[in-house]
Structures are given as C-alpha cells and as structure tokens.
Amino acid sequence: MVMDGIDPHARKLMEVFSAIERSKWNDSPVKGLAANEAHVLFCIKHKTIFPQEGMKVSEIGRLMKVTTPTITQTINNLYKKGLVLRIPDIHDRRSVRIKLTDKGEEIIKRVSEHICITFNGLSQHLGSEESDKLAELLLKAHNYIINVKKIDI
Amino acid sequence: MVMDGIDPHARKLMEVFSAIERSKWNDSPVKGLAANEAHVLFCIKHKTIFPQEGMKVSEIGRLMKVTTPTITQTINNLYKKGLVLRIPDIHDRRSVRIKLTDKGEEIIKRVSEHICITFNGLSQHLGSEESDKLAELLLKAHNYIINVKKIDI
DNA sequence: GAAATATAATTAGGTATCATAATAATATTT
DNA sequence: AAATATTATTATGATACCTAATTATATTTC
C-alpha cells in the first residue's frame, strides 16, 4: 500500500488536518448575517488606517485576498441590509468608499465581541505558551504547504 | 474599540487563523480530478475494512461527514470518468457498493503519493516533536471551538 | 496635450461544493 | 401485516467564490 510509506508523525498530522478540514470555525455569530458579510464588516472596521475615510472595494479585496467582483456582491448584500454606505471618493471618481452605517457598527460590534470571547477563551484554554506555539506552528506549516504547491507546478 | 479587549496571545492566534483560512491545502494534485473527487477516492481506498467488498454510499457520507446526495453526485462524476463502479449489494438490495476501477486505483495511487510526500515533508520540516505538538494543539483547539459553538446556541 | 495604458468598480455568467426535501425501493420492527 | 426506518437517488437551491467584459476615470508616454 502506498500509504504505508507515510511517517507516523506525518500520519498524525494528516489525520488531524483531515478531521478539522470541514469545520467552519469562522461562521457568522449573528443570525441573518452570512459569514462572508461578517468578514467584510470586520475588515472594514478593523483594518482601516483612517476610519473616517471608509475603505475602497479594491482595498477590501486585497486585504481579504478575494477578487473585487466578489467584494462588490457582498457589499451589495450588506447595503440591502442597511449595514454599509457607498460614498463616492472625492479625489478619485472611479473609487467608492465603503462606510459602516450605525446599524453596521452595531452589528460588527456584536461580531467582534463574539470573536474576542472565542479567541480569548481558546487562548486561555490552551494556556498562553501553547497558544503562541500553535500560532507559530500553524503559520510555519501553512508557509511550507504553500511553497510545496508552488514548486509542484 | 471592542477589539481592544482581546488578549495578545488570542490576537496572535486569531490573526494566524484568519491568514490561513482561505488557503486550500487539500486541493487535488491530479489534473482533471476535483478536490472532492480525490477525497472520496481516498476515503474508499484507505478507510475500508474489507477492500474487496467496496463501500456503501452512506458509509462514505458518514466517514466524510457529508450527506448522501452529495456523495451520490460525486460518485456520478467519478463514474463518468471511469474511476469507480457501482455494484449492487447482494445482501441488501437498497445498497450499492462503490469500488475503484483499475484506472481509479491508478489515480488514487498518485493522489496518495502526493499526500505522503506533502505530509512527510511537512513533518520533517517541523521536526517530529513539533509535528506532534501541532497535531495535538490543533485537535485541542478544534474541539474547544466546536464546543463553544454548541454552548452558544 | 493627445493617445495609449492602467486602474476601479460593476455586470453577467459560471463553477465547486455543499445542503434540504421528496421519492422509490427495500429492510426491519412492532 | 402494518408501521417505521434505511438506502440511494433526483430535483432544487444556497454559499462563496471565480473570469471576462464593460464603463468610467486616472496616469503615463510620446
């Protein structure tokens, strides 16, 4: 069997990865708000440098590693729900600035609180040392996998 | 700001999780084979107790934590590609046994080899101790998150 | 300063990977 | 024998992405 060639440590890793794979830890905690909508709100709220300016669609896309048409769609949905506004950019008439409405602010506050609670809880559950260890190893593993792929092509 | 309430260790974890989130480490390594098709082949090949019997659709679904209609669809695609056969179960006429064709065996061999190489490489890259540590922490984190969700509802 | 090129957002249309509900056939339990 | 459960399938839909084409505006180059 081919799979007999796998190292026991590697197999353990593989099994955990495959067990974890399909669990959506990043679901939206707010009913009626899709996961991708929550992500966009989070991005707008927590990754802006100048909050009063709002965020460009292309900026959101770049930060989230998603194409602009995808962001446009999500923004449309958030707009329908009254959570964001589109404000024409004064200095570049091709651009639109996305800002949160008061309702949007209220919703992202709830999302953020949930994320805080979840990760504070997780970090405490693991202990700060192991928590840092997990972050470090995950990143290292991720970078390795990404590069293996690139070489493969 | 709400996010100021997050512990530095928790924040680090959150950032790594969100950086990793959208990378598909489990893509199919074989051109023309979809990721979910590779998963089903892998499941049939490596999780059967009695390989000569083939695997039931419901069994595959249970093992992969996916509904049976979804498996049926994937099996249809694999069938079209000549990678699996449907063999009526002799003892239960409602059931169908899914078996790999020779071509299917050949393909899953290539998939398995790729998985072996990837995880052996990763495990070596991390070192066996850290590799085990990552598996342990990931599982622990996963279980925690799953349970938080359940309590939340 | 006109022409060529680049960038921003959108629209249109499509793909991958799942799900639920309903159905038909067969097994199992009562 | 009747009621219930299970197996697989079909039909349909949802989510979250994508690429290609389009329109409008900016920037660069000659």
Side-chain angles (χ1 to χ4, degrees):
Chain A
M1 282 254 285
V2 180
M3 263 346 238
D4 294 347
I6 198 168
D7 172 85
H9 304 285
R11 158 162 262 136
K12 202 185 284 186
L13 261 188
M14 187 197 78
E15 280 166 359
V16 173
F17 269 73
S18 105
I20 279 176
E21 183 182 17
R22 299 222 329 107
S23 81
K24 326 166 202 147
W25 60 271
N26 56 182
D27 243 14
S28 163
V30 176
K31 218 195 125 183
L33 189 75
N36 64 345
E37 291 167 6
H39 292 157
V40 167
L41 289 183
F42 191 88
C43 179
I44 296 169
K45 181 64 184 180
H46 300 295
K47 301 195 179 164
T48 348
I49 305 171
F50 306 111
Q52 69 285 6
E53 282 181 11
M55 200 177 259
K56 293 198 283 179
V57 170
S58 49
E59 231 176 316
I60 302 171
R62 203 175 334 105
L63 290 164
M64 289 183 60
K65 292 173 190 170
V66 157
T67 60
T68 48
T70 300
I71 300 300
T72 294
Q73 284 178 51
T74 306
I75 295 294
N76 286 343
N77 295 333
L78 289 169
Y79 181 78
K80 280 180 213 151
K81 292 177 184 177
L83 305 181
V84 298
L85 293 172
R86 271 183 238 252
I87 296 171
D89 189 305
I90 315 164
H91 307 101
D92 186 337
R93 289 168 58 188
R94 296 167 304 179
S95 289
V96 184
R97 296 292 177 158
I98 311 297
K99 285 192 186 182
L100 303 187
T101 61
D102 288 352
K103 196 172 160 196
E105 291 282 357
E106 194 192 293
I107 296 288
I108 190 55
K109 195 178 156 200
R110 278 166 58 198
V111 172
S112 304
E113 268 160 8
H114 185 267
I115 291 173
C116 263
I117 289 168
T118 303
F119 280 95
N120 278 340
L122 174 58
S123 175
Q124 244 185 333
H125 179 67
L126 298 175
S128 50
E129 206 174 304
E130 305 261 282
S131 180
D132 283 0
K133 194 79 193 168
L134 176 55
E136 176 206 325
L137 291 176
L138 255 186
L139 200 57
K140 195 171 173 186
H142 177 252
N143 288 335
Y144 178 81
I145 299 273
I146 294 299
N147 290 330
V148 162
K149 258 192 209 148
K150 277 195 186 138
I151 292 160
D152 240 19
I153 296 163
Chain B
M1 283 253 285
V2 180
M3 263 347 237
D4 294 348
I6 198 169
D7 172 85
H9 304 285
R11 157 162 262 134
K12 200 184 285 184
L13 260 188
M14 186 196 77
E15 279 165 359
V16 173
F17 269 73
S18 107
I20 279 176
E21 182 183 17
R22 298 223 326 109
S23 81
K24 325 166 203 147
W25 61 270
N26 57 182
D27 243 13
S28 163
V30 176
K31 219 194 123 182
L33 189 75
N36 63 347
E37 291 167 7
H39 292 157
V40 167
L41 289 184
F42 191 88
C43 179
I44 296 169
K45 181 66 183 178
H46 299 296
K47 300 194 179 165
T48 347
I49 304 171
F50 307 110
Q52 68 284 7
E53 283 182 10
M55 200 178 260
K56 292 198 284 178
V57 170
S58 50
E59 230 177 316
I60 301 171
R62 204 174 333 105
L63 289 163
M64 290 183 60
K65 292 173 191 173
V66 158
T67 59
T68 47
T70 299
I71 300 300
T72 294
Q73 285 178 57
T74 306
I75 296 295
N76 287 342
N77 295 333
L78 289 169
Y79 181 78
K80 280 179 212 151
K81 292 177 184 176
L83 306 181
V84 298
L85 293 173
R86 270 184 238 252
I87 296 172
D89 189 305
I90 315 163
H91 307 101
D92 186 337
R93 288 169 59 190
R94 295 167 305 177
S95 289
V96 184
R97 296 291 178 160
I98 311 297
K99 284 193 185 180
L100 303 187
T101 61
D102 288 351
K103 196 172 161 197
E105 292 281 358
E106 194 193 294
I107 295 288
I108 190 56
K109 195 179 158 200
R110 280 166 58 198
V111 171
S112 304
E113 267 160 9
H114 185 267
I115 291 172
C116 263
I117 289 167
T118 302
F119 281 95
N120 277 339
L122 174 58
S123 175
Q124 244 184 332
H125 179 67
L126 298 175
S128 50
E129 206 174 304
E130 306 261 280
S131 180
D132 283 359
K133 194 79 192 168
L134 176 55
E136 176 207 325
L137 291 175
L138 255 186
L139 200 57
K140 197 171 172 185
H142 177 254
N143 289 336
Y144 178 82
I145 298 274
I146 294 300
N147 289 330
V148 161
K149 258 192 208 144
K150 278 193 187 143
I151 291 160
D152 240 18
I153 296 162

